Amino acid sequence: MAVTADDFVPDSRDLTELADAAHNCKGCDLYLDATQTVFGAGSANAALMLVGEQPGDQEDKAGAPFVGPAGRLLDKALVAAGVDRDRLYVTNAVKHFKFTLPERGKRRIHKTPSRTEVVSCRPWLMAELDAVRPDVLMLLGATAAQSLMGSTFRLTAHRGEALRLPESDELGVDPTVVVSAHPSSVLRGRPEDRDKAFEALVSDLRFAAGLLD
Ligand code: URA
Ligand code: SF4
C-alpha cells in the first residue's frame, strides 16, 4: 500500500491533537516544498463546515486556512449571507500548498493537487469531519467536491441541492452536503462576471445556512 495520511492520523478526535499530528504528516510529497501543514480552524462545535481546495501562498506562510485573497472574498460573502465566521469550521481537502516556482525569487504559482494527493490527504479531512460532526458540510470547488463525493462528481450539476455523502453509512457521519464554486474562481473570473459569481456564492452560503434552521 502506498503511504497516505492514514499512517499519520491518530485515533484522537481532539482537533488540537489532530492538528499537532498533521504537522508531521508525510502522507504525500507535498510536505517537502511547502512551509507547513495548514490544518483546519474554527469551532469544534460548528454546525457548518466549509472545505476548500488547499492552502494558497499566504495560508502557507501564515499556517491558517483562508486568510489570503480567497479568504477575504469568502469573508465578504459570509457577511453578505449573514453567516458568522466564528461559528464555522473551515478547512481544505489538501493540507499543504502545491505550487510551481517559475523562476527564483518569483511569486509561487498555485498548482491544482493531483487525485493521488487529494486521496492521500483525505484521512485528515475525514478525521476533522468526525471530530466536528457538522450538520451541514459545504464543499467549495471541484477538488473538495470530488474528494468527498467521488472523482466523477460534477459540481455545476448539483449547486443548490441538499446532498448526502456517498459513504455516509460506513463513515458514521451524515451531514447534509451542499456544493458551491471556489472563492478563488470568483476572483479569477472575468471582471464582468465577478458580481454574478459572487452573488451565486452568497446564495449558496445562504442555502447552506438555511438548512441549519
Ligand atoms: N484557497 C483554498 O482553497 N483554501 C485556502 O485556505 C485558501 C485559498
Ligand atoms: Fe500529508 Fe496532506 Fe500534506 Fe500530503 S498534503 S503531506 S497527505 S498533510
Side-chain angles (χ1 to χ4, degrees), residues 46-63:
L48 176 59
M49 177 163 156
L50 303 185
V51 185
E53 182 192 71
Q54 63 168 348
D57 177 75
Q58 294 192 29
E59 289 79 12
D60 171 79
K61 290 174 183 150

Side-chain angles (χ1 to χ4, degrees), residues 4-5 22 25-31 37 94-96 117 120-121 124:
T4 74
C25 185
K26 298 179 176 160
C28 73
D29 284 345
L30 292 184
Y31 78 93
T37 303
V94 169
K95 298 330 191 220
H96 275 106
E117 289 151 354
S120 295
C121 210
W124 291 119

Side-chain angles (χ1 to χ4, degrees), residues 22-212:
H23 280 92
N24 300 316
C25 185
K26 298 179 176 160
C28 73
D29 284 345
L30 292 184
Y31 78 93
L32 289 169
D33 294 329
T35 307
Q36 57 190 319
T37 303
V38 179
F39 207 65
S43 167
N45 304 311
L48 176 59
M49 177 163 156
L50 303 185
V51 185
E53 182 192 71
Q54 63 168 348
D57 177 75
Q58 294 192 29
E59 289 79 12
D60 171 79
K61 290 174 183 150
F66 283 107
V67 295
R72 285 192 287 279
L73 185 115
L74 178 61
D75 281 339
K76 260 175 56 186
L78 287 166
V79 169
V83 180
D84 188 354
R85 183 158 169 176
D86 295 343
R87 293 176 48 221
L88 305 177
Y89 185 81
V90 178
T91 192
N92 285 300
V94 169
K95 298 330 191 220
H96 275 106
F97 178 37
K98 182 175 184 178
F99 59 92
T100 50
L101 202 54
E103 268 176 70
R104 254 183 99 79
K106 283 272 162 70
R107 200 164 63 85
R108 300 180 297 173
I109 308 288
H110 159 278
K111 246 184 119 181
T112 303
S114 69
R115 178 74 191 158
T116 307
E117 289 151 354
V118 172
V119 170
S120 295
C121 210
R122 197 169 175 267
W124 291 119
L125 183 55
M126 297 315 302
E128 289 173 294
L129 193 51
D130 194 21
V132 178
R133 304 192 148 262
D135 296 322
V136 176
L137 175 66
M138 185 165 188
L139 308 175
L140 301 170
T143 300
Q146 292 181 357
S147 174
L148 293 180
M149 301 302 286
S151 58
T152 59
F153 182 83
R154 297 262 298 110
L155 177 87
T156 46
H158 296 285
R159 281 181 86 166
E161 292 177 14
L163 306 162
R164 291 180 69 192
L165 292 173
E167 306 149 71
S168 53
D169 294 340
E170 299 115 83
L171 295 174
V173 285
D174 191 12
T176 303
V177 178
V178 300
V179 296
S180 187
H182 193 285
S184 297
S185 74
V186 179
L187 294 171
R188 276 197 308 267
R190 293 184 305 173
E192 60 269 35
D193 296 334
R194 246 172 243 166
D195 288 352
K196 225 175 113 194
F198 180 77
E199 281 312 319
L201 175 62
V202 171
S203 153
D204 289 337
L205 284 166
R206 275 202 198 101
F207 175 63
L211 294 168
L212 298 172

